[in-house]
Amino acid sequence: MIYIVTAMYAEAHPFITRFQLKKDLSHTHFQVFLDGEGSLCLIISGTGSLPAAAAVSSICTEYKAGSSESADFLLNVGVCGQIGKESVQDRKKACQTGTLFLCNKISELSTGKTFYPDLLYRHSFVEAQIVTGPRPYTQIPSAKNNLGEEADFYLYDMEAAAVYQAGSYYLGPHQMSFLKIVSDNGNCQDVTPRQIQELVGQNMESISQYITGLKAILREESQSDILQSRPAQAAYEKLCLALHCSSTMAGALRQHLRYCALSGVDYGSVVEEMYREGKLPCKDKREGKQCFEELKKRLL
Amino acid sequence: MKSLRNDYYNPFFSHIYVEKAVRNHPRTKRILQNFPRAAVILIDHYKDVFCRKGQNFILQQCSQNLILAAKQGTLIYPGAPVCQDFGNENFYYTSCVMNCVYDCEYCYLKGMYPSGNMVVFVNLEDIFREVKKLLEERAVYLCISYDTDLLAMEPITGYVKEWNAFAQTQTDPAKTLKIEIRTKSADCLFWQRHLPAAGIIYAITLSPQAVIDACEHKTPSLARRLASAREALQRGFSVRLCFDPMIYCRDWKQQYGEMLRQVFAEINMDRITDVSVGTFRVSQDYLKKMRKTRPGSAVVQFPYQNDNGVYHYSKELTEQMEGFLVELLKKKVPEEKIFLWQ
């Protein structure tokens, strides 16, 4: 499942339209939208760190993010401010309104903590660092002074660091991406919801491509235990019973069967042969132990 | 169906994380010159990236990133009990690079490190200083390529060349420095461009081609490793051949027999320094993690036996495999030059 977190409805709307998401009315605390395939889930958190963390936690708990065999991914999408080193007048000219960035470093202004989402997959976006602050950028002009001098250019938002921190309770750094679209460079009070919707909408094509790519690779990366298939599991359970396995012995048996399946050893034939020879099923634990020793020898 | 994997991953070292404290270090600058298109991200400490929780080692190895940092605290460690000391006293190892460009499924690094990214410590001078301090007291046997393959990284770091130069300055005959550089690399250019230094042993790990194909991803073939070993010997470098770890497969006798036939055909065994033989073994904590991250790997999922926290093949199988190889080796190598890990 890909979880998309946006702060505002205006940021979510282009996704709802594009992916034909339907509102899940069972949620009362946050607005949640799902696609028909169960592969996309969008949640609108509200602005700020606390709502963002609560929303991520809510949705990841609800859908058991990170615990299932299918791979999960958390995508935080939204608008952001731009902080540059230029003078105020130059900044107005240089503001890259509408440009979409993938964040490679997330700093939290209030704590000084920094987070690094993995950047494993190819993408077409420009990368940048983002700073998450507690208030809109206009209200903390000193923010730039607290960031050090390592970069000429930063993005600024109010959620990314919180989304990362809440998300990391469920997912790894390889399972989170932060896409931010510049809406202003310090004059966010002038940006209307309609403009935000348009800014996200303008970038939907490239975001959609990224999501499609993620879906494909997540399918490929889903790893399952080779013994999880129903017939393999049934055969294993039958053999456990036939050998009167204790839990330790059952674990050892499982490891043997898993190795055989992976290395191409036809353990089914070996077991069948032992049934034919009357060595299986065993009458008690003691006989089961002896029989297991013989089975191991035959398998390896 | 064509695998999506290679198409989706960023190229190797597309992102390089650099500790702020070493951003102006000459080695940092030199290494970065190799990657003009990489995104450089400044960090406070390498652990901020390397030790993040919940990382996926295997996926990160598909798109490995580089971290340039300064090594602090302990720089030289005593040799681990599961490692072969080749009869040397004062056995130490150091890690000037953490993690490897190769992807061997059985490698303990996958259980030891939280990340598949590579860390290169640029303050080699501090490690050299520590070694010098140790050498004031005693002779030292130092393994410098355990937690990485230093020779495979040579085009990027140039560290083997630097260790070579350092070893040449240590001339006290009473307190000798012996360095082992373990590698699966087959870079013949290195032998052609450098001169042998006394005390440096290049330990080349060899495996049957079937094992290389199945488990040692991204590594050179057996034929290339042998050609490299031959060239090194011809140019006067000290070469140790490591048949360690030996990996079980159903036809292991045939595979290892065939491998030795190739080795004997290619290498003048009279010129090698020594050989090591050892079947696979790994600490239980590492294997537990490796099994979780690599559920589809046969070598990792083998039902090993656990003795005192170390997983290994059964005593019977260990003796069979090691005994088989040792008996064949004895035909070409004096017994005193054959080292078993136990």
Side-chain angles (χ1 to χ4, degrees):
Chain A
M1 175 93 88
I2 295 175
Y3 302 92
I4 301 169
V5 182
T6 68
M8 294 176 273
Y9 183 82
E11 295 165 328
H13 186 266
F15 288 92
I16 294 167
T17 313
R18 176 87 180 200
F19 295 104
Q20 298 176 318
L21 305 181
K22 298 273 179 280
K23 193 168 186 176
D24 182 351
L25 296 170
S26 65
H27 290 266
T28 51
H29 303 294
F30 296 98
Q31 291 190 73
V32 174
F33 299 83
L34 300 166
D35 71 349
E37 303 164 11
S39 63
L40 272 186
C41 172
L42 184 146
I43 186 163
I44 301 171
S45 65
T47 50
S49 289
L50 207 58
V56 170
S57 177
S58 156
I59 206 73
C60 287
T61 303
E62 166 95 22
Y63 293 101
K64 296 185 170 58
S67 62
S68 61
E69 275 174 25
S70 64
D72 293 313
F73 204 92
L74 182 63
L75 198 57
N76 177 211
V77 187
V79 291
C80 65
Q82 168 189 321
I83 311 175
K85 274 187 173 171
E86 310 84 14
S87 67
V88 174
Q89 203 174 2
D90 287 344
R91 276 197 289 130
K92 275 184 183 163
K93 273 190 268 173
C95 185
Q96 303 178 51
T97 308
T99 306
L100 173 62
F101 290 91
L102 177 67
C103 303
N104 57 24
K105 178 174 177 177
I106 302 165
S107 303
E108 192 173 45
L109 199 60
S110 57
T111 60
K113 286 181 183 173
T114 305
F115 311 99
Y116 303 90
D118 271 338
L119 301 153
L120 299 179
Y121 310 121
R122 288 181 193 275
H123 60 81
S124 57
F125 315 119
V126 185
E127 290 181 16
Q129 301 178 27
I130 192 161
V131 176
T132 298
R135 284 170 290 163
Y137 177 52
T138 45
Q139 294 169 28
I140 38 173
S142 61
K144 201 168 77 175
N145 301 331
N146 298 335
L147 299 173
E149 294 181 347
E150 63 195 55
D152 295 336
F153 177 87
Y154 296 91
L155 305 175
Y156 183 96
D157 82 340
M158 294 172 63
E159 293 87 23
V163 170
Y164 184 96
Q165 288 174 90
S168 61
Y169 280 94
Y170 304 86
L171 304 167
H174 58 289
Q175 294 171 298
M176 291 188 267
S177 277
F178 298 80
L179 293 172
K180 297 288 166 175
I181 301 153
V182 174
S183 62
D184 63 276
N185 60 348
N187 55 329
C188 61
Q189 71 280 3
D190 301 334
V191 184
T192 65
R194 187 179 177 81
Q195 284 170 325
I196 290 171
Q197 196 172 310
E198 280 171 10
L199 289 172
V200 178
Q202 284 163 20
N203 286 287
M204 270 316 287
E205 195 55 46
S206 48
I207 298 174
S208 289
Q209 278 176 15
Y210 189 65
I211 289 173
T212 306
L214 281 178
K215 278 183 182 174
I217 203 155
L218 293 184
R219 269 197 303 273
E220 185 143 309
E221 278 170 4
S222 303
Q223 289 183 322
S224 58
D225 188 331
I226 198 159
L227 294 181
Q228 280 298 336
S229 76
R230 216 170 273 172
Q233 182 65 21
Y236 160 72
E237 283 169 7
K238 186 182 167 195
L239 193 52
C240 268
L241 281 175
L243 287 166
H244 296 269
C245 283
S246 64
S247 61
T248 309
M249 205 166 125
L253 175 66
R254 192 175 185 85
Q255 200 61 41
H256 275 78
L257 298 189
R258 184 181 286 123
Y259 172 76
C260 289
L262 290 168
S263 57
V265 177
D266 181 9
Y267 63 85
S269 302
V270 177
V271 172
E272 264 177 41
E273 200 180 316
M274 290 181 77
Y275 270 106
R276 273 200 304 275
E277 291 167 6
K279 292 182 172 167
L280 280 170
C282 303
K283 64 172 189 244
D284 55 26
K285 268 191 179 182
R286 198 176 61 82
E287 198 179 295
K289 222 171 170 181
Q290 286 167 352
C291 191
F292 183 43
E293 286 308 310
E294 188 175 339
L295 175 66
K296 286 198 284 189
K297 278 189 182 147
R298 291 193 191 194
L299 290 175
L300 299 178
Chain B
M1 193 181 108
K2 190 184 167 202
S3 172
L4 294 165
R5 286 184 163 243
N6 293 334
D7 297 329
Y8 273 103
Y9 288 106
N10 268 323
F12 275 58
F13 302 155
S14 61
H15 293 77
I16 302 181
Y17 298 87
V18 179
E19 276 187 358
K20 288 172 191 166
V22 301
R23 67 179 138 177
N24 293 318
H25 193 289
R27 288 193 192 91
T28 302
K29 289 180 175 175
R30 195 182 69 209
I31 292 168
L32 287 177
Q33 278 174 0
N34 293 308
F35 305 99
R37 296 178 65 187
V40 175
I41 301 166
L42 291 177
I43 57 175
D44 290 319
H45 195 277
Y46 79 90
K47 288 183 180 175
D48 295 345
V49 178
F50 195 68
C51 298
R52 290 167 296 163
K53 70 172 183 177
Q55 294 179 83
N56 186 313
F57 193 113
I58 306 303
L59 289 184
Q60 286 174 334
Q61 271 218 321
C62 299
S63 169
Q64 243 175 348
N65 288 322
L66 190 58
I67 302 166
L68 303 179
K71 191 168 175 67
Q72 291 159 340
T74 309
L75 304 178
I76 313 273
Y77 308 90
V82 289
C83 297
Q84 174 63 263
D85 61 11
F86 294 89
N88 292 284
E89 287 179 2
N90 309 321
F91 169 29
Y92 298 95
Y93 79 97
T94 186
S95 295
C96 42
V97 177
M98 299 202 297
N99 259 333
C100 189
V101 285
Y102 298 141
D103 176 19
C104 301
E105 290 184 11
Y106 55 73
C107 182
Y108 69 95
L109 296 179
K110 291 176 167 62
M112 188 167 90
Y113 289 142
S115 172
N117 293 323
M118 290 190 73
V119 182
V120 172
F121 294 112
V122 295
N123 57 330
L124 263 190
E125 60 279 1
D126 294 335
I127 300 175
F128 290 159
R129 199 177 304 124
E130 281 294 301
V131 177
K132 274 184 183 171
K133 249 192 238 172
L134 276 176
L135 282 167
E136 282 169 12
E137 298 161 16
R138 66 199 88 152
V140 169
Y141 174 62
L142 182 68
C143 293
I144 62 170
S145 188
Y146 268 176
D147 299 338
T148 186
D149 191 317
L150 215 52
L151 202 56
M153 283 290 282
E154 188 62 6
I156 294 165
T157 62
Y159 278 15
V160 177
K161 183 183 164 189
E162 292 205 53
W163 276 104
N164 232 23
F166 173 72
Q168 281 171 339
T169 62
Q170 307 309 308
T171 50
D172 184 346
K175 289 158 187 168
T176 56
L177 171 64
K178 203 189 279 184
I179 291 175
E180 188 212 64
I181 300 174
R182 195 160 287 216
T183 186
K184 287 179 181 139
S185 158
D187 182 8
C188 288
L189 279 178
F190 180 83
W191 316 122
Q192 292 160 17
R193 287 178 180 168
H194 299 91
L195 291 171
I200 295 199
I201 301 165
Y202 294 88
I204 299 176
T205 303
L206 301 175
S207 301
Q209 189 56 47
V211 171
I212 294 173
D213 292 340
C215 313
E216 298 178 357
H217 311 296
K218 303 181 199 167
T219 63
S221 65
L222 174 61
R224 285 188 57 213
R225 289 185 214 177
L226 288 175
S228 174
R230 190 179 54 197
E231 173 126 21
L233 284 168
Q234 280 169 355
R235 290 178 181 272
F237 290 89
S238 297
V239 172
R240 164 177 292 150
L241 296 182
C242 299
F243 305 101
D244 183 2
M246 290 180 76
I247 301 294
Y248 169 84
C249 50
R250 286 209 109 179
D251 56 349
W252 63 266
K253 237 179 215 181
Q254 190 195 326
Q255 295 294 344
Y256 279 90
E258 170 58 20
M259 176 195 67
L260 270 198
R261 194 193 60 73
Q262 283 177 262
V263 172
F264 294 157
E266 289 289 322
I267 305 288
N268 181 351
M269 297 300 279
D270 297 334
R271 294 173 76 167
I272 58 160
T273 303
D274 50 32
V275 299
S276 78
V277 175
T279 44
F280 176 76
R281 67 275 179 195
V282 69
S283 91
Q284 65 178 12
D285 294 340
Y286 295 171
L287 187 68
K288 191 178 167 191
K289 200 174 152 202
M290 289 156 73
R291 279 181 171 166
K292 199 176 163 194
T293 54
R294 211 141 200 175
S297 165
V299 64
V300 166
Q301 299 299 340
F302 185 91
Y304 297 102
Q305 280 187 10
N306 186 346
D307 279 321
N308 302 317
V310 177
Y311 274 108
H312 53 81
Y313 295 121
S314 68
K315 190 168 178 281
E316 190 186 355
L317 186 57
T318 300
E319 284 171 1
Q320 274 178 26
M321 289 173 69
E322 292 177 355
F324 172 79
L325 209 69
V326 167
E327 283 310 307
L328 288 180
L329 281 165
K330 274 187 198 167
K331 291 176 186 170
K332 297 276 185 181
V333 182
E335 211 167 335
E336 63 273 16
K337 281 191 174 183
I338 302 173
F339 290 87
L340 274 170
W341 78 275
Q342 280 175 317

